[in-house]
Amino acid sequence: MNREEQVTMGFRDLLNKMAWLNKFKMEDSLKGYKSSEVHCIEYIGRNVGSNVTKLAESFYMTRGAISKMTKKLIKKGIIESYQKPDNKKEIYFRLTSQGQVIYKVHEELHKEFQERDKAVFEQVTEEQFDSMLSFVEKYSRHLDAEIKKQGVDITNRNDFE
């Protein structure tokens, strides 16, 4: 296995381990919600002016799939749609008070997982962080370009907020 494969496999392995470790606690704390729904709630909670297009771009899903998911979340009373006074064409989403509760539970779980993994990150130097972030940004730009070649426009994405 060459170094590129080692890095790729290493990232995949890390992400799979994180997902496995986090899965049971997430499922237990957020019963009744699919992972995609929770991430949609998270996105709407973090981004004022969320709409179908922005959600679709962020999750690499079709607008139709996002519309279906947001309709389910509206029906569950988690999000609500609204229009801006100056733009009656576009529909935006915001969290309801029930949605805020789910959002906060999810955020607390992330903090808990961060705390669990703190021991590793405390050992990483600023230079190592800079190097890792530089690599991730470079690789992300490369993948963005590859996605664009497939005919998907992702120019409005902000990966490192």
Side-chain angles (χ1 to χ4, degrees):
M1 187 181 315
N2 67 31
R3 290 175 67 92
E4 288 174 30
E5 291 170 321
Q6 285 178 309
V7 168
T8 304
M9 293 299 289
F11 275 132
R12 189 174 298 136
D13 193 41
L14 274 173
L15 292 173
N16 287 338
K17 285 177 185 176
M18 285 173 59
W20 186 86
L21 272 171
N22 299 353
K23 180 183 178 179
F24 303 105
K25 191 111 189 197
M26 285 277 197
E27 285 177 353
D28 190 47
S29 300
L30 298 164
K31 275 186 176 65
Y33 299 96
K34 294 177 183 173
S35 174
S36 57
E37 291 174 330
V38 173
H39 287 110
C40 185
I41 293 164
E42 177 185 36
Y43 185 91
I44 292 168
R46 288 186 176 184
N47 299 280
V48 175
S50 297
N51 61 22
V52 168
T53 302
K54 288 179 182 176
L55 287 161
E57 289 170 353
S58 180
F59 296 124
Y60 300 99
M61 294 171 71
T62 64
R63 289 195 306 262
I66 293 295
S67 289
K68 213 173 182 179
M69 184 176 4
T70 54
K71 282 178 186 163
K72 280 184 188 176
L73 291 172
I74 289 169
K75 197 172 183 177
K76 288 181 178 183
I78 302 302
I79 65 172
E80 60 188 9
S81 61
Y82 69 95
Q83 293 178 308
K84 294 180 180 178
D86 58 333
N87 183 355
K88 294 294 182 187
K89 182 183 166 204
E90 193 68 53
I91 295 171
Y92 299 93
F93 303 106
R94 64 181 159 229
L95 300 179
T96 62
S97 55
Q98 191 180 342
Q100 285 287 342
V101 170
I102 300 298
Y103 177 79
K104 283 186 175 85
V105 167
H106 185 244
E107 288 297 298
E108 288 303 313
L109 287 169
H110 273 290
K111 285 178 188 169
E112 185 180 318
F113 301 149
Q114 221 172 355
E115 192 62 34
R116 175 196 67 206
D117 300 338
K118 197 176 190 176
V120 173
F121 288 99
E122 288 175 340
Q123 298 173 39
V124 178
T125 67
E126 285 301 312
E127 293 78 25
Q128 289 170 322
F129 272 123
D130 289 344
S131 180
M132 287 187 281
L133 288 170
S134 173
F135 171 76
V136 168
E137 289 168 1
K138 198 176 293 181
Y139 196 15
S140 182
R141 281 193 303 273
H142 164 73
L143 294 177
D144 285 346
E146 290 299 313
I147 290 167
K148 197 169 189 172
K149 283 182 189 176
Q150 302 292 319
V152 179
D153 182 17
I154 55 170
T155 53
N156 295 326
R157 284 185 44 88
N158 252 336
D159 293 326
F160 300 101
E161 291 180 355

